[in-house]
Amino acid sequence: MGRHDRIAQLADLRAPVDGPVLEVADLATGYGRTVRAMLAEAVGPVRIHAVDTASTLDDDIMGDERVRSVIADLDEPLPFAEASIDRVISVNVAEHVADPLAHLDECYRVLRPDGLLVLAHSDWDTTLFAGDDDTLTRVLVDRFVSTVPQWAERADGFMGRKLLGLARSTAFELETVETWADTHRRFDEDSVAWKVARGVLAAAADDAQLAAQAAAWVAGLRKLAEDGRFLFTVTDVALVLRRPTPR
């Protein structure tokens, strides 16, 4: 089972019998992979607000009448009224916002009482690459984790393990904490492993010797993939948080 299917299950997307449509906000939705998993998982009527800074949803997702594309800056207040959403999904968002705690507070604000936030993040320091040189792989992964890439304003390779501490600083009630290894065998330009490898190359670029070693390392990963011996994993951490019902 992949990351997006796990997230959809954790969201508990069962609409109340004879009740209103279940309102779901998926933050930093991207191509809509989590949205697709939630549409398949949902029981009963659901409306998914796919939120991102631009709409890059796959055509089949964009054309689904249950999906609404919402353009918004996640450093600003979420574009929903207070207590208007039943589920909020925040996957790999926290490291990219200016104030992760304020992000959680915004999720709390828009959730209805008894609503759920699924807060998840990859912990990039747990990245595993199959490779022929274990020592070099460790050096390169450490370099990647400690370097903010040029295409991201912010990055935190340890964010996955920080989620619980963030959650404990909010008014949310903690329901569950889950972890799993997100495993990939592909190494092509659309794969997660390739995106991380691109980050490794960028992190090593200011050191000519290390950059040459990194380029050779990536070439080795391509060869492993061609031989069917490539493996990439990273640990995901997911919290299910509930906005408590007023007593």
Side-chain angles (χ1 to χ4, degrees), residues 149-222:
Q150 292 182 352
W151 61 85
E153 293 183 11
R154 314 169 187 95
D156 186 340
F158 303 94
M159 182 55 75
R161 69 195 69 180
K162 295 178 180 179
L163 294 185
L164 185 57
L166 286 170
R168 287 300 193 188
S169 300
T170 71
F172 277 109
E173 294 178 349
L174 178 65
E175 293 287 305
T176 62
V177 180
E178 305 278 347
T179 65
W180 58 80
D182 189 37
T183 304
H184 300 263
R185 299 289 310 282
R186 290 172 49 206
F187 191 63
D188 55 63
E189 293 189 4
D190 289 328
S191 68
V192 173
W194 169 250
K195 292 174 183 176
V196 174
R198 187 180 67 152
V200 168
L201 291 172
D206 62 351
D207 181 324
Q209 181 178 358
L210 189 60
Q213 291 176 310
W217 176 79
V218 170
L221 297 182
R222 288 189 182 276

Side-chain angles (χ1 to χ4, degrees), residues 35-36 39-40 46-48 57-69:
V35 172
R36 181 179 287 107
L39 290 172
V46 63
R47 180 182 297 112
I48 299 180
L57 290 168
D58 288 342
D59 290 344
D60 63 315
I61 300 297
M62 180 68 82
D64 194 303
E65 63 182 9
R66 297 169 293 175
V67 178
R68 171 178 173 251
S69 178

Side-chain angles (χ1 to χ4, degrees), residues 9-20:
Q9 285 192 353
L10 290 173
D12 188 16
L13 299 168
R14 295 172 294 176
V17 177
D18 298 325

